[in-house]
Amino acid sequence: MNEFITEHDIYLFHQGTHYLSYQFLGSHPATVDFKKGYFFTVWAPNASEVRVVGDFNKWEGSHFKLEKISNQGLWHRFFPSIPAGSSYKYEILSESDIPFLKADPYAFQSEVRPATASILTTDSTFQWDDKQWRLLQEETNPLKKPINIYEVHIGSWRTHADGTLYSYKELAKELIPYVKSLGYTHIELLPLGEHPFDLSWGYQQTGYYSVTSRYGHPNDLKYFINECHLNEIGVILDWVPGHFCKDDHGLRLFDGTPTYEYADPRKAEKRNWGTLTFDFGRPEVQSFLISNALFWLKEFHIDGLRVDAVASMLYLNFDNYDEEEKLYNSYGGEENLEAAAFLRKLNEVVFDYKPHTLMMAEDSTDIPLITSPTYSGGLGFNFKWNMGWMNDTLDFMECDPVYRKWHHQCLTFPIMYTYSENFLLPLSHDEVVHGKKSLLNKMPGDQWQQFANLRLLYGYMMTHPGKKLLFMGGELGLYSEWKDKEQLDWHLLDYPLHKAMFDFVKDLNHFYKHEPSLYECDHEVHGFDWIDPHNIDQSIIVFLRRGDFSNEELIIVCNFTPNVYYDYKIGVPYPGTYKEVFNSDADKYGGSNQLNVGRYFSFPEKWHGHNQHIKIKIPPLAISVFSTPSKGVST
């Protein structure tokens, strides 16, 4: 074909196996016959003609027609003397010769909303400086590492006094040191593909390869990520392969016919969201999406992808409740077999490129083997959001302590399936928006009890098996739910209880990072043991967390009532001395300071199935953590 695009590229793209298709599709600067200009390549299988229009030709494309280079609809041509930075679109003539304009699906940059054109870019000259970080990630197993994620919506974390948005570079100066000081290991960014509507938060995109221009240039995002890595913070991106928005300049009816979406409207429509489902069985769509995943990993050094709305992909009738319109697969089930095959293919390609990528499924289904390898029938993710734990735990915590004993199973049941997948425990943006109330306002009781309950919730999450995620603002103890049009209520840090909550989250995060028993065996059965899950009347649970070595053990005591108990007996596995190493009821955190001071010697009397026990004080609405003797033989 030419040096820029080969017959092999074309073949692989149409086979659904070109995983770097962004390197030739879209617009790319080049020099041909000593003339500088741009190659344009676009997939429009049912177009009768495709032209390039922009401010360089006064949006008149009669002399800028592309040539069809494949029977399956690739269009391609080089045009000289087009300046970088120009705005452009494709003028597509449908099968009936009706013209309309579309942004470039593979554009690397777009105009600032509400403008919708793509922008011609030059090759990136950004110099990465994160080799040491990347080598370290290649040498470590993420299942064995502490992963504690701070989930961020860039547009509302912090804004300028006049309401304007922070840029990527400004965020690098403020967000990164903030997250590092709080002890988080990763930042998760809500989707950054170009999107026309601010309040979609990036989940309804028009530009999958176009870094949103709201916050600056793509190189500025690279700078932000590079700085994260230099500060030993990983970056995870919310990624949305399940559906896209219907805006006219986007992917919908791209060539006048269903192209990226399913042709069957029953299969294409996401009724509740007003979006369209990708056609996962179409090879060119597979090339588009899998290439996009590698685009973020390769070009932006993203450490992982949180794959959004997996449940909506896996079920044909995800939001279809009309029995007459329901769809079924060839086996009579409601599973979308094409979507499942696509996800397996996606994970195989990603892990072949970068084996320790964090591939996290946001999946609310009970479909098994989400995090099992594809060769054993799984979907191939390495982590899954534990939506069951989140729902059960929040339901329990919202109960008045008087009634919690009748909901005790909400605490104990999640352990029954904890090791069925590699889980992450999320307290995400979805739980604090659209009338769901903030985490603090979900908590029952007076003000003191609300803050104590919230500290207990965070402590319970951080000591429960599974990696962790908290949405921004959770560390402040917000009264209001997430206000996505304005910044967080930073003024709350001027109030003692909120500042104490901030200090608690900070100390808890650092405690987690430095205790291997809280993360090394998150996904191994021997990393957790119940000591007492049965104290329903007092709503107290006691369990043990274990690391890879026998001296890496902690005993965790959670009291979900406001009562204080003295000389409370707890069975322990070893003879020797035990010491409280963390207590959420400390007065510096706003608690009542019911601490266990000094060392506690075990008594050689059976309790909770062990040959030893200790007597401790149980603080109200609090979590207490005890270290075990450095040596001992389990009883």
Side-chain angles (χ1 to χ4, degrees):
M1 183 62 59
N2 57 47
E3 292 184 359
F4 184 76
I5 180 172
T6 67
E7 293 288 353
H8 190 58
D9 288 325
I10 295 171
Y11 173 79
L12 292 179
F13 175 73
H14 289 308
Q15 289 293 308
T17 55
H18 202 307
Y19 305 133
L20 297 174
S21 60
Y22 66 88
Q23 292 183 345
F24 71 91
L25 274 130
S27 61
H28 295 270
T31 300
V32 176
D33 295 332
F34 305 104
K35 294 180 180 180
K36 291 184 177 180
Y38 280 84
F39 276 110
F40 294 88
T41 311
V42 65
W43 176 56
N46 293 307
S48 63
E49 190 173 288
V50 180
R51 307 163 182 167
V52 180
V53 296
D55 49 21
F56 50 85
N57 62 9
K58 298 183 179 180
W59 299 89
E60 205 293 305
S62 59
H63 298 294
F64 287 79
K65 297 178 182 179
L66 300 187
E67 299 171 354
K68 194 171 184 179
I69 60 172
S70 73
N71 293 331
Q72 299 97 325
L74 276 179
W75 301 76
H76 172 77
R77 193 171 174 185
F78 173 80
F79 296 107
S81 304
I82 299 179
S86 298
S87 298
Y88 75 101
K89 286 185 177 180
Y90 293 114
E91 184 179 38
I92 298 175
L93 274 66
S94 68
E95 290 177 306
S96 55
D97 291 331
I98 298 174
F100 50 90
L101 297 179
K102 289 288 187 179
D104 188 345
Y106 281 87
F108 296 142
Q109 193 175 353
S110 302
E111 290 180 320
V112 179
R113 72 203 187 305
T116 59
S118 305
I119 295 176
L120 294 173
T121 60
T122 56
D123 291 333
S124 176
T125 58
F126 183 81
Q127 297 294 313
W128 291 93
D129 192 27
D130 63 347
K131 183 177 180 180
Q132 184 175 352
W133 166 266
R134 288 169 67 81
L135 288 174
L136 178 63
Q137 304 317 299
E138 293 173 4
E139 296 170 357
T140 55
N141 179 358
L143 298 177
K144 292 285 189 177
K145 289 167 52 179
I147 295 180
N148 186 16
I149 302 165
Y150 188 70
E151 186 188 32
V152 177
H153 175 250
I154 287 180
S156 59
W157 180 73
R158 191 185 290 276
T159 61
H160 294 292
D162 62 359
T164 55
L165 303 176
Y166 268 45
S167 69
Y168 296 117
K169 284 198 168 183
E170 289 172 324
L171 287 164
K173 293 179 181 178
E174 295 201 25
L175 177 58
I176 293 173
Y178 179 83
V179 169
K180 185 174 183 179
S181 69
L182 275 173
Y184 287 97
T185 62
H186 292 74
I187 294 173
E188 181 174 312
L189 302 171
L190 268 61
L192 291 180
E194 195 57 80
H195 51 285
F197 184 46
D198 285 9
L199 298 187
S200 78
W201 314 326
Y203 288 100
Q204 297 185 13
Q205 298 182 19
T206 53
Y208 274 73
Y209 291 84
S210 183
V211 175
T212 180
S213 53
R214 286 167 173 78
Y215 316 114
H217 190 274
N219 280 348
D220 297 338
L221 176 59
K222 292 180 180 180
Y223 173 83
F224 173 84
I225 296 169
N226 190 69
E227 289 298 306
C228 283
H229 291 169
L230 294 180
N231 283 275
E232 300 180 325
I233 296 171
V235 182
I236 300 166
L237 180 67
D238 250 346
W239 188 58
V240 193
H243 60 123
F244 57 89
C245 67
K246 294 181 177 181
D247 291 56
D248 286 342
H249 68 283
L251 299 177
R252 174 179 172 268
L253 299 175
F254 185 76
D255 63 5
T257 65
T259 306
Y260 287 88
E261 68 269 34
Y262 282 110
D264 185 341
R266 296 175 302 165
K267 212 169 178 180
E269 291 285 345
K270 286 282 188 288
R271 293 169 173 79
N272 290 340
W273 298 337
T275 56
L276 292 170
T277 307
F278 279 104
D279 184 345
F280 302 111
R282 196 160 193 174
E284 293 86 356
V285 173
Q286 295 174 19
S287 289
F288 174 82
L289 288 173
I290 296 177
S291 292
N292 187 244
L294 292 192
F295 168 77
W296 289 108
L297 299 174
K298 182 178 174 66
E299 306 300 331
F300 286 86
H301 291 200
I302 291 290
D303 299 285
L305 298 172
R306 178 263 199 185
V307 181
D308 178 62
V310 169
S312 76
M313 300 170 66
L314 292 177
Y315 280 105
L316 293 168
N317 301 303
F318 173 72
D319 57 0
N320 177 19
Y321 306 106
D322 187 338
E323 289 294 331
E324 294 183 0
E325 289 193 8
K326 280 198 171 182
L327 295 168
Y328 300 93
N329 61 40
S330 57
Y331 298 100
E334 296 187 41
E335 298 83 6
N336 188 333
L337 303 179
E338 294 170 342
F342 163 76
L343 290 171
R344 292 187 185 97
K345 186 175 181 179
L346 165 73
N347 286 318
E348 287 172 355
V349 172
V350 166
F351 289 126
D352 183 61
Y353 168 71
K354 187 181 175 187
H356 293 314
T357 302
L358 304 176
M359 291 297 288
M360 299 179 167
E362 189 264 317
D363 174 39
S364 57
T365 74
D366 58 359
I367 293 177
L369 306 178
I370 300 294
T371 58
S372 294
T374 57
Y375 59 75
S376 62
L379 288 187
F381 290 94
N382 54 4
F383 291 100
K384 173 181 174 175
W385 278 30
N386 194 337
M387 310 300 282
W389 174 89
M390 178 273 297
N391 281 306
D392 284 348
T393 302
L394 290 181
D395 284 349
F396 178 84
M397 294 301 299
E398 289 185 70
C399 288
D400 187 291
V402 172
Y403 304 112
R404 284 177 176 169
K405 63 183 178 181
W406 285 291
H407 301 274
H408 196 76
Q409 73 279 1
C410 290
L411 293 178
T412 56
F413 177 68
I415 289 296
M416 299 292 290
Y417 60 84
T418 286
Y419 300 103
S420 64
E421 304 279 2
N422 300 328
F423 280 120
L424 176 143
L425 311 180
L427 293 174
S428 75
H429 67 278
D430 276 332
E431 313 319 317
V432 293
V433 74
H434 297 326
K436 295 180 182 177
K437 301 188 291 188
S438 70
L439 291 177
L440 180 65
N441 260 346
K442 292 178 191 287
M443 301 298 108
D446 58 25
Q447 185 185 56
W448 187 91
Q449 290 185 352
Q450 282 187 306
F451 276 89
N453 270 305
L454 188 58
R455 293 192 301 271
L456 174 56
L457 169 63
Y458 291 162
Y460 175 57
M461 176 178 75
M462 296 301 286
T463 54
H464 190 285
K467 309 309 181 186
K468 329 294 178 185
L469 178 143
L470 182 66
F471 184 54
M472 65 181 198
E475 73 279 12
L476 305 178
L478 298 176
Y479 280 114
S480 61
E481 64 178 22
W482 175 34
K483 297 172 288 189
D484 51 1
K485 295 181 181 179
E486 55 189 85
Q487 69 172 359
L488 297 178
D489 294 331
W490 293 105
H491 65 278
L492 291 178
L493 287 175
D494 295 332
Y495 296 86
L497 277 176
H498 296 276
K499 179 59 167 61
M501 178 62 70
F502 176 88
D503 292 338
F504 169 76
V505 171
K506 180 178 181 178
D507 288 353
L508 180 64
N509 288 346
H510 284 284
F511 177 72
Y512 164 76
K513 280 176 64 176
H514 291 97
E515 291 292 341
S517 59
L518 294 180
Y519 58 80
E520 280 186 343
C521 297
D522 271 329
H523 313 294
E524 301 169 39
V525 175
H526 69 271
F528 175 94
D529 274 324
W530 281 118
I531 291 178
D532 181 19
H534 303 301
N535 191 347
I536 295 174
D537 288 335
Q538 294 174 307
S539 293
I540 294 173
I541 58 172
V542 187
F543 57 90
L544 183 144
R545 290 300 310 277
R546 183 180 294 112
D548 279 332
F549 301 100
S550 60
N551 63 337
E552 292 175 351
E553 294 183 344
L554 294 174
I555 292 174
I556 292 91
V557 184
C558 297
N559 177 14
F560 292 94
T561 72
N563 301 319
V564 181
Y565 299 96
Y566 300 92
D567 292 328
Y568 189 95
K569 295 167 69 172
I570 293 175
V572 293
Y574 314 120
T577 58
Y578 292 74
K579 181 181 179 181
E580 186 177 79
V581 292
F582 196 88
N583 189 326
S584 67
D585 192 51
D587 56 2
K588 64 179 179 178
Y589 303 138
S592 60
N593 217 39
Q594 299 294 323
L595 309 181
N596 291 280
V597 181
R599 296 184 179 274
Y600 289 76
F601 295 90
S602 64
F603 295 87
E605 178 187 357
K606 289 187 176 182
W607 200 256
H608 291 151
H610 294 282
N611 290 332
Q612 307 283 324
H613 74 265
I614 57 175
K615 293 181 179 180
I616 62 170
K617 184 194 303 182
I618 302 288
L621 293 173
I623 179 170
S624 310
V625 183
F626 291 83
S627 62
T628 60
S630 58
K631 294 180 180 179
V633 179
S634 177
T635 58

